[in-house]
Amino acid sequence: NVFCPKEDEGCVEAIERRLNILRQAQTLDGWKQVLKMKDPEYQLKAEEILFVRHRSQLLARAYALALERMDPKNPAERQTWTACCRQAVKDLKPLGITTVAATKVAAWQIEFREHDAFLFNKVAPKPPE
């Protein structure tokens, strides 16, 4: 399954749980809730925080579309996860989120489903000794 739910949840529950996490990124300091930092001492720059929020918006939109369009009860109108990612990119483009491809959104989902967060690997510079 593309969404790899936990043992005690179905796909819909997994998507809804992740949507709730991603929505937090839009609050003042909520972006911290969607990152798993390699170095907790690293201070993100404003543009990095903005990118975290953009990633969260794109993936949240793709998840919302998946809930609407990947319904197994309606196979005639069912869409793929890739189609949901493409539509999310298209939907958010008028809002100024224009620098990402649908394949990137799909890749972020793989990372997010494993960690319930995006990985952030930058480290703070070490002070001189």
Side-chain angles (χ1 to χ4, degrees), residues 50-51 53-55 57-58 88-100:
L50 181 64
F51 185 64
R53 288 189 169 129
H54 284 185
R55 286 175 81 172
Q57 290 171 336
L58 283 159
V89 170
K90 184 178 178 181
D91 289 352
L92 296 185
K93 191 173 185 176
L95 302 177
I97 302 173
T98 60
T99 58
V100 71

Side-chain angles (χ1 to χ4, degrees), residues 40-65:
E41 300 298 315
Y42 182 83
Q43 299 294 313
L44 272 74
K45 298 174 186 84
E47 61 269 14
E48 291 170 324
I49 294 169
L50 181 64
F51 185 64
V52 169
R53 288 189 169 129
H54 284 185
R55 286 175 81 172
S56 298
Q57 290 171 336
L58 283 159
L59 188 52
R61 180 63 184 140
Y63 278 148
L65 289 165

Side-chain angles (χ1 to χ4, degrees), residues 17-19 32 48 50-51 56 66 68 70 78-79 90 93 95 97 104 112 117:
R17 179 177 48 78
R18 291 181 189 134
L19 269 169
K32 295 174 185 175
E48 291 170 324
L50 181 64
F51 185 64
S56 298
E68 295 171 15
M70 293 182 74
R78 189 167 190 235
Q79 291 187 357
K90 184 178 178 181
K93 191 173 185 176
L95 302 177
I97 302 173
K104 197 66 170 169
F112 202 85

